[in-house]
Amino acid sequence: MKKILLLFVLSVSLLKASADEGMWLPMLLGEQVYADMVKKGLKLTKDQLYSINKSSLKDAILIFAGGCTGEIVSDQGLIFTNHHCGYSVIAGSSTVEHNYLQDGFFAYNRDQEIKSTISVVFLDRIVDVTKEVEDGVKGLAWDDRVKKIPDVYKAITEKVADKENGLSGRIYSMFKGNQYIMYVYKTYRDVRLVGAPPESVGKFGGDTDNWEWPRHTGDFSVFRVYGTKDGKPADYSADNVPLKPKHFLPVSIKGFKDGDFAMIYGYPGGTNRYETSYGIKLKNEIENPSLVAMRDIRLKLMFEQMIKDPAVKLKLANSYASIANYWKFFDGETKQLIKYHIYDEKQAFEQAFTSWAKGKPQYENIFADYAKNYATWTPYSKMRQYLNEGIMGSPLTAFATSFIPLEDKLLKNGTSAADIKKSTDALTASRKDFLANEDLVSDEKILAATCMAFYNDIDKSQHPIGFYESLRSNYGDLKDESTYKKWAHDVFSKTMILDDAKWNAFMAQPDAATLQADPAFNYSGGFLKNYNTKYSSLFQAFNVKNAELGRSYMKGIMEKDPAAVKKMYPDANFSMRVSYGNVKSYNPRDAVHYDYECTGKGILEKYVKGDYEFDLPVKLIDLFKKKDFGQYIDKARNDLVVSFITTNDITGGNSGSPVLDAYGNLLGLAFDGNYEALSHKIAFDKDLNRTICVDVRYVLWCIDKLGGAKNIINELKLVK
Ligand code: ARG
């Protein structure tokens, strides 16, 4: 009985999006979910949601800096996104003297805006290119199809590319290769920092509160996009002017209540809602714990130095934040996958699929083949994680791998001097960036600790040949930490990467023998080549086979329940999606209720003077105490609402996404997911999944009252 019930629930949750699950393709909203959106409260027409001819909501949404979402909020190209999305620009523009990361920054006029090297990308239109792609690979066996696909993509996207106007096409495989959709993008390259709150506001709660609700983080930053006078993309120039957007979002300071409609546009990076039980097992038993163990080591050693020295803090801040973010994510993901028995659910679903598939040659062996494929790769999975997350987690080691192409050229007969110079020039340029962010003390310790962890935890047959033996004969017992420390110290004092004189001498006359004798290159090249020569083809074969099986599995699922296909959405893959749902409180566990919004009162409750994560600007405390909330006040609470939660289905990449009301006005910015639903990439939990959003009233209060930047507020179209 229980099993049947489980299967029923599963067939609903896997096939049709239930509750507020679903990352919908913007151009299909009208066909797929519009009626339901209206039922839930939407007050816009289909054309206002997405149109290629008229301006629509999609025109205000952009890809921010390659991995986040941003939105246009004024007719002068003003952009809102998260603080953690602008973080590298904010930290990179800061010095110990002008510490914008620590103190915040606001441009009070255009001249004060700070140029950056990031770009923003608008969506021009979406085209279904399934037929063209399939025609291009017709009749090919799977392996050949995989090889041919990049060329087929290229031929299709070349037709829409238009350099002068910044247009380019990108093709996305949807439903695991059962459909191909091209997004045509317009990229703007002159993007300037306009403002950010102090880090104590923008990252309030730090990694302790990250991925958690209740939450009191002012996670926003402000940028502006510029183009030529006729609106074309251009490199930075003083002559460029703020872009006149096709659409910008009005900003609502009216507030909302529990249950109100909320919708989110953005660029969710990746989900795997049709992951198999095999994938979950590998993830839970090997991939996630290995990643977490390696990141534990690195984070601890970085943090030790960061709290000692503000200059080190600035150097490492961005990399620390991104390592910590997914360290906590993957740890929590496995905990939740186990807690919610997702493995068992998937197995039950797969058994039902296999029963259905009996006698259908296309489908009946899928899961037997999955079993074989996973069994072949699994013995190497831990080694791969230790290599990527441990060995290459030393910045020096990772940088040293960039010498491999030069080594190849030096070893090859007849490489021209010009060709070699191209490589050495590039290395000299990238060394500068590397050194700017390099903290020697933490890196040397990371090198020693990760090298030792690899020795201890990875099967000896997978070690690079000879490396640990030579370490033992030169430095001592491999069970002894001090062996690795002595060795790491030698690497750091002898490598040319950290020695200008040696570097210059080598670059003037590069030769393979000197390069191979460099201890940093020798180590990093040795580990990487060990992987590349023995294991990378296995990993590739594993992925290619999984992709083939995944495509058939997906096709089978659709065939099994054709009626459900109309209501299916493809996995997230960093193409624009729309999610709709409600503002909504929840019960995370027995007897506990979480309210749908957090307030200023809660900020003061969490405040710890001088704390690394819970400190606050004195000015903020003063203003809060005076209840100086201006027009941003929530009257019912006589306080500021700083954040809220919704039932929207989003994931990493959606950071910075606009949270919109029924009329398309901006209510806030999505910036996180909740701990109870960290399994969301694989299974959406209809009761517990929440998106955490910073309230736009708090954003505006920070800009106006805390930052004094009325000029920014004056640009917005406020809905009161
Ligand atoms: N969890 C957030 C996301 O992935 C990022 C938050 C960054 N903050 C931090 N404390 N690391 O979008």
Side-chain angles (χ1 to χ4, degrees):
M1 175 65 201
K2 204 163 166 225
K3 203 158 194 180
I4 293 168
L5 200 74
L6 191 69
L7 280 179
F8 172 74
V9 172
L10 270 166
S11 62
V12 172
S13 72
L14 271 171
L15 286 168
K16 290 172 252 165
S18 63
D20 300 326
E21 174 176 357
M23 300 178 174
W24 305 101
L25 292 172
M27 86 288 199
L28 295 180
L29 286 172
E31 288 168 43
Q32 286 194 296
V33 288
Y34 182 73
D36 192 42
M37 292 173 87
V38 170
K39 209 167 93 196
K40 279 218 149 89
L42 178 73
K43 303 285 186 218
L44 298 174
T45 64
K46 290 179 186 178
D47 265 5
Q48 287 173 305
L49 294 178
Y50 176 86
S51 161
I52 6 184
N53 306 315
K54 294 180 226 158
S55 83
S56 61
L57 277 176
K58 72 127 171 80
D59 296 314
I61 318 302
L62 46 89
I63 300 176
F64 184 85
C68 277
T69 303
E71 54 275 1
I72 299 285
V73 290
S74 86
D75 62 356
Q76 295 163 61
L78 197 69
I79 297 169
F80 281 177
T81 187
N82 287 151
H83 185 264
H84 77 264
C85 295
Y87 202 79
S88 67
V89 178
I90 303 163
S93 313
S94 298
T95 59
V96 175
E97 295 76 38
H98 296 282
N99 200 334
Y100 303 135
L101 185 66
Q102 179 185 289
D103 305 327
F105 163 81
F106 283 101
Y108 299 106
N109 57 54
R110 298 276 153 82
D111 294 338
Q112 291 175 356
E113 295 174 0
I114 299 173
K115 71 173 181 180
S116 76
T117 54
I118 58 164
S119 56
V120 296
V121 180
F122 291 87
L123 173 61
D124 189 69
R125 60 190 189 276
I126 304 174
V127 197
D128 190 329
V129 292
T130 310
K131 188 171 175 324
E132 284 102 306
V133 173
E134 290 299 346
D135 284 350
V137 292
K138 201 171 247 147
L140 295 180
W142 183 259
D143 285 17
D144 296 325
R145 177 188 167 103
V146 170
K147 282 188 205 118
K148 179 92 190 282
I149 273 212
D151 292 335
V152 175
Y153 279 10
K154 199 164 160 235
I156 298 171
T157 54
E158 259 166 10
K159 287 189 223 147
V160 297
D162 171 355
K163 214 162 177 190
E164 195 198 331
N165 289 299
L167 292 172
S168 61
R170 176 169 165 187
I171 297 174
Y172 296 87
S173 147
M174 303 288 184
F175 298 110
K176 297 194 188 284
N178 285 288
Q179 190 184 18
Y180 294 91
I181 306 275
M182 176 167 68
Y183 280 49
V184 181
Y185 289 126
K186 190 164 189 172
T187 301
Y188 282 84
R189 308 184 296 276
D190 184 355
V191 181
R192 306 182 195 173
L193 174 63
V194 175
E199 190 182 22
S200 55
V201 171
K203 202 181 164 179
F204 184 73
D207 293 308
T208 303
D209 273 8
N210 190 21
W211 299 111
E212 312 262 359
W213 179 259
R215 186 67 159 279
H216 298 81
T217 312
D219 198 343
F220 78 92
S221 58
V222 187
F223 287 79
R224 192 187 305 283
V225 50
Y226 283 77
T228 63
K229 291 198 175 69
D230 46 3
K232 288 186 179 159
D235 289 328
Y236 171 86
S237 155
D239 296 335
N240 287 347
V241 296
L243 181 74
K244 288 251 167 289
K246 281 198 206 156
H247 183 71
F248 68 91
L249 304 176
V251 177
S252 168
I253 57 171
K254 288 206 297 209
F256 43 79
K257 41 184 202 321
D258 205 359
D260 278 3
F261 179 85
M263 117 184 120
I264 293 182
Y265 276 62
Y267 283 89
T271 55
N272 199 356
R273 298 267 162 91
Y274 296 89
E275 178 59 294
T276 64
S277 60
Y278 295 96
I280 293 172
K281 188 171 158 71
L282 183 67
K283 192 180 234 320
N284 283 346
E285 291 178 1
I286 299 178
E287 290 174 347
N288 284 359
S290 308
L291 174 143
V292 170
M294 291 302 97
R295 290 192 177 199
D296 270 338
I297 296 178
R298 292 153 63 195
L299 289 169
K300 185 175 142 282
L301 296 170
M302 290 166 85
F303 190 70
E304 257 171 36
Q305 296 315 117
M306 286 166 69
I307 43 166
K308 278 190 209 153
D309 181 349
V312 175
K313 152 97 203 222
L314 275 182
K315 272 188 192 178
L316 297 185
N318 190 49
S319 130
Y320 184 89
S322 61
I323 299 166
N325 190 29
Y326 274 90
W327 157 79
K328 189 165 179 183
F329 178 88
F330 285 119
D331 186 50
E333 180 184 52
T334 281
K335 287 185 177 133
Q336 306 302 23
L337 286 169
I338 292 171
K339 185 167 156 197
Y340 304 141
H341 310 291
I342 304 298
Y343 175 81
D344 300 331
E345 287 193 0
K346 294 282 183 185
Q347 276 220 318
F349 186 78
E350 289 160 13
Q351 271 160 23
F353 181 87
T354 303
S355 311
W356 167 84
K358 218 163 248 143
K360 301 184 179 70
Q362 232 188 320
Y363 303 121
E364 66 183 345
N365 294 320
I366 288 180
F367 283 94
D369 289 348
Y370 266 124
K372 260 189 259 156
N373 200 35
Y374 274 87
T376 310
W377 170 249
T378 297
Y380 312 106
S381 166
K382 184 170 180 176
M383 180 268 297
R384 183 170 177 277
Q385 286 295 66
Y386 269 57
L387 176 68
N388 287 342
E389 292 289 337
I391 303 293
M392 295 301 157
S394 146
L396 177 69
T397 307
F399 178 68
T401 62
S402 54
F403 280 85
I404 290 179
L406 175 64
E407 186 196 27
D408 288 345
K409 286 183 187 174
L410 293 171
L411 290 174
K412 212 165 67 198
N413 278 333
T415 312
S416 71
D419 198 8
I420 289 178
K421 188 162 183 313
K422 221 164 110 189
S423 282
T424 53
D425 284 352
L427 282 164
T428 299
S430 58
R431 177 178 180 245
K432 245 176 134 174
D433 294 336
F434 163 72
L435 291 177
N437 293 310
E438 171 67 351
D439 172 54
L440 298 173
V441 181
S442 57
D443 194 358
E444 189 179 311
K445 291 180 180 171
I446 290 171
L447 178 66
T450 52
C451 181
M452 182 169 177
F454 193 98
Y455 176 75
N456 284 336
D457 298 350
I458 300 303
D459 195 281
K460 303 259 175 313
S461 66
Q462 296 173 26
H463 291 183
I465 291 168
F467 173 76
Y468 285 105
E469 289 76 2
S470 118
L471 197 59
R472 180 188 293 119
S473 49
N474 292 318
Y475 292 91
D477 189 354
L478 293 174
K479 287 277 164 230
D480 189 346
E481 215 183 335
S482 68
T483 302
Y484 299 88
K485 286 190 172 155
K486 276 185 279 176
W487 161 75
H489 189 70
D490 268 2
V491 173
F492 270 71
S493 48
K494 290 184 180 150
T495 177
M496 65 170 146
I497 296 173
L498 301 172
D499 183 324
D500 287 343
K502 277 188 192 162
W503 180 277
N504 293 335
F506 175 79
M507 291 302 164
Q509 225 161 5
D511 71 291
T514 310
L515 178 56
Q516 287 163 344
D518 185 275
F521 178 70
N522 179 285
Y523 170 69
S524 106
F527 273 75
L528 198 61
K529 284 179 217 163
N530 178 55
Y531 178 79
N532 284 345
T533 51
K534 296 210 269 209
Y535 307 104
S536 120
S537 57
L538 289 175
F539 185 58
Q540 227 185 326
F542 169 70
N543 285 328
V544 168
K545 186 74 198 168
N546 271 347
E548 181 181 9
L549 294 170
R551 182 166 185 259
S552 302
Y553 180 32
M554 195 76 227
K555 208 165 157 215
I557 289 174
M558 292 167 155
E559 214 171 290
K560 185 167 170 268
D561 190 357
V565 175
K566 275 206 302 273
K567 280 285 159 74
M568 279 174 75
Y569 64 94
D571 266 314
N573 54 10
F574 209 62
S575 56
M576 188 193 280
R577 302 298 174 88
V578 180
S579 152
Y580 64 97
N582 306 86
V583 175
K584 204 160 184 210
S585 53
Y586 72 111
N587 300 332
R589 53 190 178 275
D590 189 33
V592 179
H593 180 72
Y594 279 166
D595 210 349
Y596 66 99
E597 56 188 15
C598 287
T599 61
K601 178 166 165 265
I603 295 189
L604 295 180
E605 283 170 4
K606 283 183 177 173
Y607 168 58
V608 181
K609 190 173 186 309
D611 186 76
Y612 194 78
E613 297 183 315
F614 292 94
D615 200 9
L616 285 169
V618 177
K619 186 172 175 191
L620 180 141
I621 299 171
D622 287 348
L623 291 167
F624 271 26
K625 284 194 176 144
K626 282 193 271 181
K627 293 211 171 279
D628 187 353
F629 301 138
Q631 61 180 336
Y632 314 111
I633 192 170
D634 185 275
K635 291 212 181 90
R637 297 198 181 249
N638 190 26
D639 200 348
L640 275 181
V641 172
V642 300
S643 57
F644 61 99
I645 42 175
T646 67
T647 58
N648 293 106
D649 188 2
I650 70 160
T651 192
N654 267 114
S655 281
S657 288
V659 187
L660 305 168
D661 69 8
Y663 299 90
N665 301 318
L666 187 68
L667 296 175
L669 278 59
F671 73 93
D672 212 356
N674 59 331
Y675 200 84
E676 295 80 12
L678 282 187
S679 42
H680 74 256
K681 284 189 183 287
I682 291 172
F684 181 91
D685 190 297
K686 68 177 181 32
D687 300 315
L688 293 173
N689 189 87
R690 291 295 178 276
T691 286
I692 303 178
C693 319
V694 56
D695 193 304
V696 80
R697 289 168 292 175
Y698 184 47
V699 171
L700 301 194
W701 180 87
C702 288
I703 294 173
D704 183 345
K705 296 280 178 173
L706 191 63
K710 270 253 166 358
N711 53 309
I712 298 175
I713 305 293
N714 291 339
E715 268 188 65
L716 308 172
K717 184 171 157 193
L718 295 186
V719 179
K720 300 184 191 184

